[in-house]
Amino acid sequence: MSHFTGRRAAAKCSICGAPAVARVPYARLTLCSRHFMEFIERKVERVLRRAGALRRGARLLAAVSGGKDSAAMLTALARITKSNGVEVVGLHLVLGFGPYSRKSREAAEEACRVNNIPCIVLDLEEVLGAPVQAIARRARRPVCSVCGLIKRYVINAAAVELGADYVAMGHNADDIIAYTVKMFLNQDLAAIAKLGPSTESIDSLAVARLRPLYEVTEKESLLYAILSSTPFLHEECPFRPVTPIEERVKEFMNRVEEEHPGMKINYIRRLESNIELYKKIAGIEDWDIQQCQSCGLLSAGNECSFCRLTRRTLGEAKGAYIRRVIRELAAGLATRNS
Ligand code: AMP
Ligand code: ZN
Ligand code: ZN
């Protein structure tokens, strides 16, 4: 997909003939603002419908980082769910990375506000009693990997405590492709098997996950956020590695896509239809599902990786405490709304 600039601005929308704002070579379309947005929303709606999330009364927790992808996701979700009785609630985690985190929080809250969606904000340093960087240092692990582990845990714990039926994450098609190619290079097929457009819930241990932007590329998600006037932060996280493998894969795939339009969308669609196959190969169905003995949520062993990490670095497993904090927050919200 490309933006129209300069002399190409005269191009017309393939559907209505209005001035076009985007060219989508893999779909052989040029689209005006309205039809581009509808094109994206159809992709998002498809993910929700196939996961069974478009039913009256369903509650969807949208993880909003403040970046373009979750901003685009939030607006698309708000527009799609408006008429079918699905409740959307935003969740933003304050990571405590200085001005970047302050601006991220503002953007996330703004994105929720313009969409009329309630936003729950959780300050990780406050609930953990230590900054994420300090925990990473004590664990002798990269900040990114520790931050990812903490975010995944807290987002799922929040979804459980808030009674959400689904958690929506803002990963776009390029993210999914880059991550699965990286995992293929590592021959970690179990990791690939977890990256379908949705995953099912596991009793009360893990809430079902949705990736509404599964078929939406990075450029499309950026353009959608801009055209829908959804506020977002343009900055990258200061702790992002300088040369992540995913970035190299994205560059490579974009070059291939330019020469062979449709490669990326084919990949993502085939990946979706092959997920069950990957699950079989990796033997995921036979995996033992366990409950963390400290916090009661999903775990691969006796204790979940979050409780192990916090026990090792903070002297106590924090899962049960975090769950209590969120429960109290949720109760406060419920009384405020009643
Ligand atoms: P990342 O792992 O940073 O690429 O983010 C992937 C997805 O995780 C985002 O699109 C959001 O849905 C979610 N996410 C990341 N950071 C945050 C945050 N600080 N608060 C809430 N959700 C987040
Ligand atoms: Zn049009
Ligand atoms: Zn635990």
Side-chain angles (χ1 to χ4, degrees), residues 33-65:
S33 178
R34 177 177 148 223
H35 286 115
F36 175 77
M37 287 182 63
E38 285 181 10
F39 175 71
I40 299 301
E41 284 157 17
R42 267 200 304 278
K43 292 184 181 212
V44 173
E45 187 171 354
R46 181 173 168 273
V47 172
L48 267 65
R49 195 168 0 94
R50 286 174 73 106
L54 284 181
R55 55 190 159 79
R56 190 158 290 280
R59 178 180 272 196
L60 223 150
L61 186 67
V64 191
S65 66

Side-chain angles (χ1 to χ4, degrees), residues 13 15-18 31-32 34-35:
C13 173
I15 299 169
C16 71
L31 296 170
C32 68
R34 177 177 148 223
H35 286 115

Side-chain angles (χ1 to χ4, degrees), residues 44-251:
V44 173
E45 187 171 354
R46 181 173 168 273
V47 172
L48 267 65
R49 195 168 0 94
R50 286 174 73 106
L54 284 181
R55 55 190 159 79
R56 190 158 290 280
R59 178 180 272 196
L60 223 150
L61 186 67
V64 191
S65 66
K68 66 176 191 320
D69 295 319
S70 43
M73 171 181 84
L74 197 68
T75 296
L77 288 177
R79 291 165 72 119
I80 290 164
T81 57
K82 207 161 42 187
S83 55
N84 45 28
V86 177
E87 182 191 5
V88 183
V89 177
L91 171 70
H92 176 73
L93 306 179
V94 182
L95 306 175
F97 299 160
Y100 167 78
S101 289
R102 189 177 37 75
K103 287 184 262 179
S104 295
R105 177 193 179 146
E106 283 166 10
E109 287 187 306
E110 268 303 288
C112 286
R113 198 186 55 75
V114 299
N115 279 302
N116 232 343
I117 286 173
C119 185
I120 296 172
V121 176
L122 211 61
D123 188 319
L124 287 184
E125 182 170 349
E126 218 172 276
V127 291
L128 292 167
V132 173
Q133 302 97 294
I135 298 176
R137 211 166 34 241
R138 285 180 217 168
R140 293 175 207 279
R141 284 173 57 178
V143 176
C144 254
S145 95
V146 166
C147 179
L149 189 161
I150 294 174
K151 278 192 293 198
R152 273 192 301 280
Y153 179 85
V154 176
I155 290 172
N156 180 55
V160 168
E161 298 305 336
L162 294 162
D165 302 294
Y166 302 90
V167 174
M169 306 292 293
H171 300 105
N172 61 47
D174 295 80
D175 295 333
I176 306 279
I177 295 170
Y179 186 73
T180 51
V181 167
K182 178 180 161 183
M183 288 307 149
F184 183 78
L185 298 177
N186 286 340
Q187 282 301 290
D188 184 348
L189 302 188
I192 298 177
K194 291 180 191 157
L195 277 168
S198 62
T199 57
E200 284 174 16
S201 65
I202 304 173
D203 300 326
S204 55
L205 308 180
V207 172
R209 220 159 245 257
L210 296 175
R211 301 189 176 91
L213 303 183
Y214 201 74
E215 279 196 16
V216 180
T217 67
E218 201 158 304
K219 281 188 191 161
E220 287 173 341
S221 141
L222 174 64
L223 184 56
Y224 184 89
I226 293 170
L227 293 176
S228 63
S229 311
T230 313
F232 65 90
L233 180 66
H234 295 252
E235 276 172 45
E236 296 274 10
C237 175
F239 286 106
R240 192 170 168 274
V242 187
T243 52
I245 297 173
E246 286 91 329
E247 246 356 273
R248 293 287 165 270
V249 178
K250 283 181 183 178
E251 287 161 16

